[in-house]
Structure formats: structure tokens, C-alpha cells
Amino acid sequence: MKHGVRNSIKEMRKEKGFTQDQLAEKILVTRQTIIAIEKQRYEPSIGTAIKLATVLDCSLDSLFWIEGEE
């Protein structure tokens, strides 16, 4: 079974009250990048992942995990 990286970006973003555009602007990516990350179609670079965690005020491991790992 393939283990893919999963994320909770959409949930965290909504919890913080950001639109996709606002989050994209804060971490200097396009809205399309945020959409792709939220839909699990794109795994961001470690730099982008750290920026996301910083802006969303949470840990990397609460945002990203490998499916099938506890």
C-alpha cells in the first residue's frame, strides 16, 4: 500500500479565518498552489511547509503526516 503525505491545511486555514487567497499571499505562493496542497495533489517544499505552519500557528506534524502512520 502506498503511503502518501496528507495534510490538514484546509481545516487549519478555515479555523484561522483565512481565505485561500489570504493564505497564499502570506506565504508568497499562488492561490492555485494552496488549492493543490489542500486537495492533496501537491506536496509543498519544506520551506513552504514551515511557512504554512508559522502562519497557521501550529506544528508541522499537526499539518502534515504520512497516511497509515500513527
Side-chain angles (χ1 to χ4, degrees):
M1 179 167 113
K2 183 182 173 197
H3 294 289
V5 174
R6 298 292 177 231
N7 72 69
S8 60
I9 304 295
K10 185 175 186 176
E11 295 80 7
M12 294 286 204
R13 173 179 61 76
K14 287 183 172 187
E15 198 175 285
K16 297 293 181 184
F18 294 131
T19 65
Q20 290 172 329
D21 281 319
Q22 289 169 330
L23 182 56
E25 189 175 308
K26 286 183 178 295
I27 66 164
L28 306 175
V29 299
T30 65
R31 179 174 160 265
Q32 288 75 19
T33 298
I34 298 299
I35 291 168
I37 294 169
E38 288 184 353
K39 291 187 176 207
Q40 320 288 336
R41 292 184 184 151
Y42 173 71
E43 293 177 15
S45 68
I46 190 67
T48 299
I50 290 168
K51 288 178 188 177
L52 283 164
T54 300
V55 168
L56 296 171
D57 192 30
C58 60
S59 65
L60 274 175
D61 63 348
S62 67
L63 275 186
F64 297 95
W65 64 93
I66 298 178
E67 186 175 53
E69 288 190 356
E70 301 277 321

